[in-house]
């Protein structure tokens, strides 16, 4: 079987690599006399015509024939053959006279005749052209019957012929089973992103990209039409993203044509499904009595318009069809549908849906409906996932409200719920509508709090801090809890920037507002600020009581952000297991509440606990999820931190290329958004990489940068927690005094905790700075503490340093004991550079050590070996990409190079080489 080089694929057809390979193989077969046929099937807009264009583009040495079936000509016998074969009619004399006559009569008079004469003549004409032939027929299901049957006859008899026949048909069309089918489904998210990159203007933001992808549902035509329909105010964020496909567009018309063929009763039931996506079968049956809903919907099922899902409900096969059904109905029919649904939604848990349908039906006075809808939205447990989303309900309530201040309050509530649901652009567009209204101080403060929170996650930290401080001023006289929340977020902006001075000033400002009767959540926030501020001043004993109080109060709160702060307090106290429990609870609470916007932040606290515990596999998984969620919701500041954590895990694994890419991206974002924490974490990751590679001077230089507070790479917290790495690097490069000064700061914090992991790291630092006679006891003390803690990885690092010291002191036997333990751990973690360091030390201690790689794999780079190892375990390219945070295309590129270097052709051979 011939193979296809990926370089021949079309870059514009994203996500269609396998399909392109199939077409290229068909063309290659026809060139060598082994023809074939394929039937491309798919929903409207999935790219069937684009695939035919691709085949034509790569058939330069072929005679290319093209035709398209149309409904208007479907009753004209042989019209399809006439359109397809006219360019080669000059070859008729090469046919037997009887066949030539039959074919000429069919094309000139539409006389199809009967029997094999016409189909055989078509096949023979294609065979006598003199060169390979590519015949493409689009919308073959609309072709007239004689033409369609003749071409299908030919398609079944192409063996030994230099002919490729390609057909394209809608996925609902009736087509032969005996012609190979090539179905075109929706594009993957990765392919959609690449397509958007090709088509979108440069100013398209990430938080606009996400709703476009969700609305397009992987349909390439939908992507193109949606991008083409964007208005300038949508690109700037002043208006909400599109909610439906462009009316009158190709895809809209294609769906409308399908719907127009359905009976009226079926269309009426589809309108109910369009009006309420959560409509279950029991409620649908009640709404349509005495008719049988299942019977009425049968024509839609047969037409492929809808499919049964989840056993108890119907849903549209193409989600984009829902608004076509809804908008295509008259206003009177839509109101009637909503009124009917409101009447059958009687249960308490259906309160929001019932109020929504009553408001849509205008079933009462606008003010009364607005009150009912806003109350139901306020009581809704989640911010996202059900119908209607609470932010939509608040928005509709605002539209029904005449009083300006009440209307503004409901718009602000809608913006807040949209932000919580991870829809920042929708939140901004709702806030923009407040500019035309006269609003109270309280509403202004709420709006400033929301806007400041948006800026905190996606803008510059300085701007976010100023907006949040202003929000606190507006809210103080109206809602102390929200005012304190604004202050704590302002302090978070200073923390992210690495601006310790402004953090302390904000904490002091908040402390003056404390009251003994504050609710638990507000008390927790005050205690958190007090304990954190004391920690940052180096007053660790003073910090302990408020931080412990934070943890005690955590059991009585249910806010994801407040729980995350409790997790942070546990980290400062050195209780990593407690921190992991609280931050994991914060993640679970955010998921239950639909607080999508909170997930990237609370996952960050989970990651911090896991880093201390040495759970780097979990760190990678959580950081990949956090990065994805941050990118989808336009939270670039959170994305920077997750990129930094992914750089750290790459450094642990010794993957230099990936570490530098991730760290570089995080540092770039840090510079643009004043994120000292992300820049410092990235430099720490790069320093870890330098240490693992034996570049101690480079590591020391990077870590000195984290101590500066006048740049985007400096941060107090990172400076302290990276001290063990800095001491190790500084001792090797003559920076003893700086190492001792840094260790004194670490000692003050570590001494206030009961964390064996932190105490072990401090003891290791003292061992590195101690005289040889004293170092051994300090190393042993560090190892004893490590064994009481969680981090196996840092235990191995201490064993490596201890073994190295013993070797230099000419005690090779004792050194080998610790080095072997370290080697076993590093190999289990896949920490390639640390494995190499340990093996070098073992060889220095007099032990011959085999390379962990098979000899053939030594030709590969670190990243290539990592990819090869994962592939050999059975992972697909997409699974490898997800694990290593690479694109599937990059993995494919590396895999081709791996196969070339190792002179192999298959994954089976790769498994054999690496086993």
């Amino acid at each position: 079987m011939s193979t296809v080089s990926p370089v021949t694929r079309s870059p514009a057809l994203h996500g269609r690599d396998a399909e392109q390979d199939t077409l290229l193989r068909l063309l290659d077969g026809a060139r060598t006399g082994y023809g074939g046929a394929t039937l491309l099937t798919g929903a409207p807009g999935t790219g069937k015509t684009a695939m035919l264009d691709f085949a034509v583009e790569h058939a330069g040495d072929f005679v290319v024939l093209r035709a398209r079936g149309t409904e208007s000509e479907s009753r004209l016998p042989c019209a399809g053959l006439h359109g397809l074969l006219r360019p080669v009619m000059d070859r008729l004399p090469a046919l037997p006279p009887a066949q030539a006559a039959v074919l000429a009569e069919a094309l000139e008079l539409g006389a199809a005749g009967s029997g094999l004469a016409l189909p055989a003549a078509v096949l023979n004409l294609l065979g006598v052209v003199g060169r390979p032939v590519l015949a493409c027929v689009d919308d073959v299901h609309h072709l007239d019957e004689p033409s369609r049957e003749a071409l299908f006859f030919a398609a079944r008899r192409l063996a030994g012929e230099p002919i490729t026949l390609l057909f394209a048909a809608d996925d609902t069309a009736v087509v032969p089973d005996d012609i190979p089918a090539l179905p075109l489904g929706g594009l993957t998210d990765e392919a959609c992103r690449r397509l958007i990159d090709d088509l979108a203007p440069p100013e398209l933001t990430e938080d606009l990209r996400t709703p476009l992808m969700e609305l397009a549902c992987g349909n390439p035509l939908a992507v193109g039409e949606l991008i083409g329909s964007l208005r300038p105010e949508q690109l700037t964020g002043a208006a909400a993203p599109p909610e439906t496909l462009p009316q009158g567009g190709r895809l809209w018309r294609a769906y409308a044509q399908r719907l127009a063929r359905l009976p009226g009763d079926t269309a009426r039931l589809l309108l109910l499904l369009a009006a309420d996506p959560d409509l279950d079968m029991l409620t649908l049956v009640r709404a349509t009595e005495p008719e049988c809903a299942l019977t009425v919907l049968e024509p839609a099922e047969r037409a492929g318009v809808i499919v049964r899902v989840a056993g108890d409900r119907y849903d549209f096969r193409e989600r984009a069809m829902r608004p076509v059904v809804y908008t295509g109905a008259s206003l009177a029919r839509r109101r009637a549908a909503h009124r009917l649904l409101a009447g059958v939604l009687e249960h308490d848990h259906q309160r929001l849906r019932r109020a929504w349908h009553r408001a849509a039906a205008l079933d009462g006075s606008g003010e009364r409906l607005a009150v009912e809808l806003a109350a139901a939205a306020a009581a809704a447990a989640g911010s996202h996932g059900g119908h209607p989303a609470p932010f939509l309900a608040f928005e509709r309530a605002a539209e029904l409200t005449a009083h300006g201040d009440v209307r503004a309050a409901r718009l602000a509530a809608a913006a807040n719920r949209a932000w919580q649901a991870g829809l920042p652009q929708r939140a901004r567009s709702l806030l923009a509508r407040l500019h035309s209204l006269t609003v109270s101080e309280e509403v202004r403060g709420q709006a400033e709090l929301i806007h400041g929170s948006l800026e905190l996650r996606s803008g510059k930290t300085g701007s976010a801090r100023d907006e949040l401080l202003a929000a606190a001023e507006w809210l103080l006289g109206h809602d102390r809890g929200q005012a304190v929340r604004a202050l704590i977020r302002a302090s978070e902006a200073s923390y992210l920037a690495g601006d310790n001075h402004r953090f302390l000033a904000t904490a002091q400002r908040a402390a003056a507002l404390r009251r003994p009767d504050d609710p638990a959540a507000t008390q927790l926030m005050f205690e958190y600020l007090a304990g954190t501020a004391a920690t940052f001043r180096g007053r660790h004993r003073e910090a302990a009581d408020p931080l412990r109080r934070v943890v005690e109060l955590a059991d009585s709160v249910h806010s994801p952000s407040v729980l995350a702060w409790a997790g942070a307090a546990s980290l400062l106290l050195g209780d990593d297991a407690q921190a992991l429990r609280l931050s994991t609870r914060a993640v679970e609470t955010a998921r239950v509440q639909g607080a999508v916007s909170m997930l990237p932040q609370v996952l960050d606290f989970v990651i911090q606990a896991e880093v201390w515990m040495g759970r780097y596999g979990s760190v990678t998984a959580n950081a990949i999820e956090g990065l994805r969620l941050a990118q989808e919701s336009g939270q670039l500041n959170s994305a920077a931190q997750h990129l930094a954590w992914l750089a750290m895990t790459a450094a642990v694994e010794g993957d230099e290329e990936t570490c530098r890419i991730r760290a570089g991206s995080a540092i770039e974002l840090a510079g643009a958004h004043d994120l000292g924490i992300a820049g410092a974490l990235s430099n720490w990751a790069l320093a870890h990489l330098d240490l693992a590679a034996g570049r101690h001077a480079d590591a020391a230089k990077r870590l000195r940068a984290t101590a500066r507070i006048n740049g985007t790479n400096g941060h107090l917290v990172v400076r302290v927690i990276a001290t063990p790495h800095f001491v190790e690097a500084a001792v090797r490069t003559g920076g003893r005094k700086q190492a001792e000064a840094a260790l004194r700061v670490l000692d003050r914090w570590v001494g206030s905790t009961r964390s064996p992991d932190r105490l072990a790291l401090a003891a290791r630092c003292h061992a590195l700075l101690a005289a040889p006679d004293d170092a051994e006891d300090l190393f042993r003390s560090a190892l004893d503490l490590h064994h009481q803690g969680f981090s196996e990885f840092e235990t191995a690092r201490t064993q490596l340093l201890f073994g190295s010291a013993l070797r230099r002191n000419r005690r090779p036997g004792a050194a080998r004991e610790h080095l072997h333990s370290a080697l076993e751990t590093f190999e289990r973690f896949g920490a390639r550079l640390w494995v190499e360091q340990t093996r070098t030390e073992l060889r220095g201690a007099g032990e011959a050590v085999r390379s962990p790689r098979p000899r053939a794999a030594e030709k590969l780079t670190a990243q290539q070996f990592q990819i090869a190892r994962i592939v050999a375990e059975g992972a697909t390219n997409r699974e490898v990409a997800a694990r290593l945070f690479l694109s599937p295309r990059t993995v494919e590129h590396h895999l081709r190079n791996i196969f070339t270097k190792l002179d192999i052709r298959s994954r089976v051979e790769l498994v054999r080489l690496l086993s």
Side-chain angles (χ1 to χ4, degrees), residues 157 283 501 570 688:
R157 291 162 174 81
T283 307
H501 174 74
S570 297
H688 185 123

Side-chain angles (χ1 to χ4, degrees), residues 66-293:
R66 296 197 73 163
R68 176 186 291 274
T70 62
E71 287 191 85
S72 61
E73 294 186 2
S74 61
R75 292 181 177 83
L76 296 177
C78 302
L81 290 176
H82 183 272
L84 183 70
L85 300 179
R86 282 185 65 192
V88 292
M89 288 301 292
D90 61 332
R91 300 299 299 164
L92 274 181
L95 295 180
Q99 289 188 355
V102 167
L103 189 52
E105 186 176 4
L107 298 185
E108 293 171 8
L109 304 176
S114 60
L116 297 177
L118 178 60
V122 170
L123 175 60
N124 288 339
L125 179 64
L126 294 175
V128 299
V129 168
R131 299 209 318 261
V133 174
L134 169 63
C136 299
V137 183
D138 212 344
D139 290 335
V140 69
H141 53 290
H142 288 321
L143 224 56
D144 61 279
E145 185 175 355
S147 297
R148 189 171 61 244
E149 293 306 320
L151 290 171
F152 288 159
F153 174 91
R156 299 182 186 100
R157 291 162 174 81
L158 295 180
E161 300 287 348
I163 304 167
T164 296
L165 275 179
L166 298 181
F167 307 111
D170 277 354
D171 53 349
T172 58
V174 178
V175 293
D177 294 333
D178 54 356
I179 295 177
L182 186 60
L184 300 181
L187 299 180
T188 63
D189 286 350
E190 173 68 23
C192 262
R193 285 182 174 276
R194 296 203 301 268
L195 181 58
I196 290 174
D197 288 341
D198 284 352
L199 301 177
E203 61 269 30
L204 187 76
T205 59
E206 189 66 33
D207 53 354
L208 179 53
R209 180 191 304 260
T210 299
L212 292 180
M213 288 179 58
E214 291 179 353
L215 185 54
C217 294
N219 188 296
L221 179 58
V223 171
E225 293 193 332
L226 285 167
I227 289 175
S229 72
L230 290 174
R231 306 190 308 275
E233 55 268 31
Q234 289 174 318
L235 287 169
T236 60
E243 296 180 12
T244 67
L245 295 170
Q247 295 191 33
R250 284 173 52 201
L251 200 51
W252 184 284
R253 293 199 308 272
Y255 288 146
Q257 287 169 5
R258 286 189 175 189
L259 293 166
R261 302 186 189 107
L262 298 174
D265 288 347
T266 303
R268 182 170 56 82
L269 260 66
L270 291 181
L271 177 57
L272 294 179
L273 293 174
D276 192 331
D278 288 347
L279 196 60
D280 62 273
M281 183 58 61
L282 180 61
T283 307
L284 180 65
V285 169
R286 288 182 57 211
T288 56
E289 289 176 342
E291 294 178 290
C292 176

Side-chain angles (χ1 to χ4, degrees), residues 368-397:
R368 183 163 59 83
L369 292 171
V371 170
E372 180 184 355
L373 189 54
S383 302
H384 194 59
H387 172 77
F391 81 87
L392 288 173
F394 274 119
E395 182 181 12
R396 179 60 178 148

Side-chain angles (χ1 to χ4, degrees), residues 425-473:
Q425 181 160 7
R426 191 62 181 262
R428 289 191 183 95
S429 70
L430 289 163
L431 291 174
R433 290 161 62 177
L434 291 173
H435 297 328
S436 61
L437 301 175
T438 302
V439 300
S440 66
E441 288 188 356
E442 182 178 2
V443 173
R444 184 183 298 277
Q446 291 170 352
E448 286 285 337
L449 175 57
I450 299 164
H451 198 275
S453 300
L454 287 165
E455 190 73 6
L456 179 63
R457 302 305 171 201
S458 60
K460 289 200 170 187
T461 52
S463 299
R465 181 191 63 245
D466 293 344
E467 289 187 26
L468 291 163
L469 289 174
E473 290 296 326

Side-chain angles (χ1 to χ4, degrees), residues 6 39 77 85 104 201 262 334 378 408 475 521 563 596 598 637 698 853:
L39 176 63
L85 300 179
L262 298 174
R334 292 202 299 265
L475 289 166
L563 286 169
V596 178
M598 282 303 307
N637 297 348
D698 291 341
R853 291 193 192 190

Side-chain angles (χ1 to χ4, degrees), residues 850-866:
R850 284 184 63 249
S851 169
R853 291 193 192 190
R855 180 166 297 178
E858 292 178 2
K859 302 174 183 178
L860 306 178
T861 67
Q863 187 168 55
Q864 287 172 344
F865 178 63
Q866 188 178 23

